[in-house]
Amino acid sequence: MAFFAPMLTDKSLQLVQDAGPNTAEGKNMQYSAVWSADGTFIVQVGKDPQLVTEAMEKNEISYIFHQLNISPAIDYCAVDSETLSVIGATNADMVGKTVAKLGISAESMQNEEHGFHANIEGKYYYCIFKKIETRYMGFIIPMDVLYERIPLDLLNLALCLVLICGTLTVFVANCVNRYVIHDIHRINGKLNRITQGDLEEKVNVQSSREFSALSRYINEMVGSLVNNDRKMSYVLSRTEMNIGVYEYRDGVQQVYCTERIPQIFGWTDEETAYYTGDRVHLYTFIEELRRSRMVGERNVYRIPGEPDRYIKLEETHEESSVFGVVNDVTEEMQRRMQIESERDTDPLTRLYNRRGLSRRVERILEAGTGDTYAVVMIDLDDLKEVNDTYGHESGDQYIISAAEILKKIVGESGLTARHGGDEFVLFLEEQSEEALQEKLMQLEQAQDSSEAVLHDGQHVPLRFSMGCCFIDEVAAPYDEMLEKADIAMYQNKRQRKEKHGKQPRRKE
C-alpha cells in the first residue's frame, strides 16, 4: 500500500504498480489505482500480468493483421507514414521492412491513391494505399491473380451474348409472325369478305395500337357505307313530305344538311353558315329548340322567335354520328289546334275543358317523356257570395280572373283546364321534382293573396282551395289521380274553413 501513498496528497495521480506477489495469497498480480470522480474514495484494480500482456498484444496492429483471413494471394499491410516501414501485415515476413526494401515506391504510395504497379522480387504486383491518420493502409495483389479470370469472363460474356442474340432472334421472329404476319392475314381475309358484299363483317384486331386503329377505321368506313344506304332509303321513303335532313359526326366540325333545313328553320344565309360551319353551334340550337316542346305532342316543337311555326324533329344517334330529320308541320298543327280548340276549349275562360284536358294528359303519359307530373284540383272560394253580392256577370269575371292567374302560374310547361263551375284542374309537367315543388309553392302563395277584377273594375279578394296528387312511373289511371287530388282539395278546404269558422260542403 506504500506504493499508492502519494495519492493521498495528490488526487491527480493515476498509479500502476509493477507485477509482484500480493500480500494475501502471494499470487503474482499487477495493481492500478485512481481517485473517484468526486474525490471521495480510491478505486484499486488487480489483474494477472499475463492477461494484461495478452490484452495489450491484441491491440497491436500486427495481431490485427494476423487475424485477417481473406485471400492467401493478396497481402494486406499497414505502413508507418514517418518511417515508411511495415508495422503490420497478413504476411509476417513483411513486418519490419521498409517499403523501399520490398520494392514499393514511396512516392507512388504517397501520391497515387487509385493504385500503381510495383516489381517486388521480380514479380509484378498491383498496389493500392490510402493514408489514415499516421499510417498507410493498403493491399498488394499479384498481376496474374488480378487478371487470371479475365479470359474466362470474356468467354462467358461472349457465350451469353450469343445466347441472348439467338433467343431475341427467335422471340422477335415469333412475335412478328404472331402479331404482324398473322394479323395481316386476318385483316386481308376480312377485307376480302367485305369487298364481296358482306357489310356485316367486323374487323377486330387488337394485338397492337396500330392494328386497333386500322380496325376501327375500316369498321367506321363500312359503317358509313351501311348508314348512307339506310339513310338514303329513309329519306326516299319520306320524299312526299316537306322534310330536311342534317348529319354531323364526332371529330368533324362541318355539318351536312339538305337545302330545305335553312328554309324550315327560317335561317338567313349568315345563320346557315354559322350553324352548319360548326356542329357545336347546331347542337346548341337543337337543345334550345327542345325547350319549346309542344305539350301533348311527341317530337313537335315551336320554333323560337316564331310562335306560329311548328316542326317535328327526329334524331338517331349511332356511335359517333347524329342523323336528324326535320319536318315542317305548321299547317297540320294549326288545323289540329283550331279543331281541338273549338272542341276542347271552355268558351268562358278559353282554357281546356274536361274532355280536352283528359285527351292531352293521356297523350302525355303515353309518350312517357320521363318528366315529373302532378294533378292539382282547384276550387274557388266565395263564388256564391260574389254572385249574390255583385251579380252573375261579376261571378263570370271572377272565374275569368282565376283562370288568368292559374294559367300564368302553370305557364307553357303544363295544362290548365276548367273542370266545371268554379273548379279547375291543373296538370303540371316539369323536368325535375324541385321545379315541380316550386310551381306548387307559387300556387300556395296565390291561395290567399290574389285579387279578381270584376266587370265594373272593382277589385275583390280571390281565394281558392287546392289538392295535389303526384304521378309516378307506376301511376294509376288519370281518373283515379284526379279523384285523389279532389279528396286532397276538400281536406284543404275543410282546414281553411275551420280556420275561419266555416264548414265546407262536399259538392255532389
Side-chain angles (χ1 to χ4, degrees):
M1 297 300 295
F3 177 80
F4 297 103
M7 296 180 64
L8 297 176
T9 56
D10 187 358
K11 293 185 177 182
S12 64
L13 294 178
Q14 298 178 355
L15 301 182
V16 180
Q17 193 178 36
D18 293 336
N22 60 5
T23 304
E25 302 173 338
K27 184 178 180 180
N28 195 32
M29 298 289 289
Q30 186 175 24
Y31 290 94
S32 60
V34 294
W35 276 96
S36 64
D38 58 359
T40 58
F41 59 90
I42 295 175
V43 179
Q44 180 176 296
V45 178
K47 194 171 184 181
D48 189 332
Q50 184 177 354
L51 296 177
V52 175
T53 303
E54 292 176 357
M56 294 178 64
E57 288 178 351
K58 291 181 180 180
N59 290 328
E60 296 293 330
I61 294 180
S62 59
Y63 178 84
I64 296 174
F65 276 90
H66 179 71
Q67 298 300 316
L68 293 177
N69 184 18
I70 302 174
S71 172
I74 303 175
D75 294 326
Y76 292 83
C77 60
V79 178
D80 186 90
S81 60
E82 293 183 1
T83 63
L84 298 180
S85 59
V86 178
I87 57 177
T90 53
N91 185 352
D93 295 338
M94 297 174 61
V95 178
K97 296 180 180 179
T98 63
V99 294
K101 189 173 182 179
L102 292 175
I104 299 174
S105 170
E107 182 179 357
S108 298
M109 182 186 69
Q110 295 171 347
N111 300 324
E112 297 182 21
E113 291 187 356
H114 298 291
F116 57 93
H117 295 87
N119 188 339
I120 302 175
E121 297 180 354
K123 188 175 181 179
Y124 285 95
Y125 290 79
Y126 189 79
C127 309
I128 294 180
F129 284 88
K130 183 176 181 180
K131 187 175 183 181
I132 301 176
E133 295 181 356
T134 61
R135 301 179 180 88
Y136 287 98
M137 308 297 292
F139 68 88
I140 304 170
I141 180 171
M143 296 296 292
D144 55 349
V145 174
L146 183 64
Y147 298 121
E148 66 179 351
R149 292 189 57 84
I150 290 180
L152 181 60
D153 292 340
L154 289 175
L155 178 61
N156 291 335
L157 178 60
L159 292 176
C160 290
L161 290 175
V162 171
L163 180 61
I164 292 173
C165 290
T167 303
L168 287 176
T169 301
V170 174
F171 178 78
V172 171
N174 289 335
C175 288
V176 170
N177 183 62
R178 179 177 180 181
Y179 297 106
V180 180
I181 304 300
H182 178 68
D183 288 339
I184 290 177
H185 285 308
R186 287 176 58 194
I187 293 176
N188 287 338
K190 291 181 177 292
L191 286 176
N192 183 50
R193 287 189 286 273
I194 291 173
T195 55
Q196 292 176 357
D198 186 5
L199 296 182
E200 297 297 326
E201 184 67 46
K202 297 294 183 182
V203 180
N204 187 24
V205 179
Q206 306 292 333
S207 57
S208 68
R209 183 172 59 184
E210 290 74 18
F211 279 128
S212 176
L214 178 61
S215 299
R216 187 175 70 254
Y217 295 147
I218 294 175
N219 292 332
E220 289 179 355
M221 179 185 66
V222 176
S224 178
L225 294 175
V226 175
N227 289 337
N228 288 337
D229 182 69
R230 182 171 60 253
K231 294 168 187 175
M232 185 59 65
S233 300
Y234 183 79
V235 172
L236 290 176
S237 66
R238 290 176 172 264
T239 52
E240 72 278 3
M241 303 174 64
N242 185 21
I243 62 174
V245 178
Y246 65 85
E247 180 184 17
Y248 59 87
R249 302 173 60 87
D250 291 343
V252 179
Q253 188 176 21
Q254 190 71 25
V255 176
Y256 165 79
C257 68
T258 60
E259 60 182 9
R260 291 200 178 189
I261 286 291
Q263 298 174 8
I264 294 174
F265 286 135
W267 291 342
T268 63
D269 292 341
E270 292 77 10
E271 290 174 332
T272 301
Y274 177 78
Y275 289 120
T276 60
D278 191 333
R279 59 186 177 88
V280 176
H281 297 160
L282 179 62
Y283 175 81
T284 304
F285 176 82
I286 297 298
E287 289 301 306
E288 180 67 25
L289 180 66
R290 293 187 192 279
R291 297 189 180 95
S292 302
R293 183 173 66 85
M294 294 296 297
V295 178
E297 300 292 337
R298 186 168 185 175
N299 298 327
V300 176
Y301 308 91
R302 180 185 291 110
I303 297 180
E306 300 185 44
D308 296 329
R309 294 196 58 219
Y310 305 90
I311 61 102
K312 186 172 185 178
L313 172 64
E314 295 179 348
E315 282 188 347
T316 60
H317 297 255
E318 297 182 1
E319 295 182 354
S320 60
S321 65
V322 176
F323 180 72
V325 178
V326 183
N327 185 12
D328 190 339
V329 293
T330 300
E331 294 183 4
E332 177 185 350
M333 287 297 298
Q334 288 177 344
R335 287 196 300 269
R336 285 176 52 189
M337 291 170 66
Q338 182 177 359
I339 295 173
E340 292 178 354
S341 176
E342 295 173 354
R343 182 191 62 195
D344 300 337
T345 303
D346 174 63
L348 178 63
T349 62
R350 308 308 299 170
L351 300 177
Y352 290 115
N353 56 25
R354 180 181 303 189
R355 176 181 176 181
L357 176 67
S358 178
R359 289 170 59 86
R360 281 161 178 78
V361 170
E362 290 177 358
R363 193 181 303 169
I364 292 173
L365 296 180
E366 182 180 354
T369 60
D371 291 346
T372 305
Y373 310 108
V375 176
V376 181
M377 175 67 76
I378 300 289
D379 185 83
L380 299 182
D381 297 338
D382 304 326
L383 176 61
K384 183 177 183 305
E385 287 78 356
V386 173
N387 285 329
D388 294 342
T389 304
Y390 302 101
H392 287 279
E393 186 176 356
S394 294
D396 290 343
Q397 193 63 42
Y398 188 79
I399 294 174
I400 293 173
S401 296
E404 293 174 350
I405 292 172
L406 295 176
K407 187 174 181 179
K408 182 178 180 181
I409 294 175
V410 173
E412 296 292 334
S413 61
L415 302 174
T416 308
R418 185 185 180 194
H419 206 244
D422 58 353
E423 289 185 337
F424 295 83
V425 176
L426 312 179
F427 181 80
L428 305 180
E429 178 183 6
E430 296 293 342
Q431 295 181 348
S432 66
E433 184 176 348
E434 292 77 9
L436 189 62
Q437 292 289 352
E438 183 179 352
K439 193 66 64 70
L440 292 173
M441 185 177 297
Q442 293 177 17
L443 288 170
E444 291 176 358
Q445 293 172 353
Q447 275 188 283
D448 297 310
S449 61
S450 302
E451 288 186 344
V453 181
L454 304 183
H455 73 285
D456 57 358
Q458 186 172 358
H459 290 250
V460 297
L462 192 154
R463 304 291 182 262
F464 59 87
S465 302
M466 58 180 282
C468 176
C469 177
F470 290 93
I471 300 179
D472 55 23
E473 296 179 357
V474 290
Y478 167 67
D479 291 341
E480 294 184 17
M481 299 296 102
L482 190 63
E483 184 177 355
K484 292 181 179 180
D486 187 58
I487 294 174
M489 183 271 293
Y490 272 97
Q491 291 176 350
N492 179 251
K493 180 178 285 291
R494 183 176 295 108
Q495 294 172 357
R496 291 163 55 82
K497 293 288 185 180
E498 290 175 354
K499 182 177 180 180
H500 297 89
K502 299 179 181 181
Q503 293 296 327
R505 181 174 61 87
R506 178 65 185 267
K507 295 183 180 180
E508 302 297 335

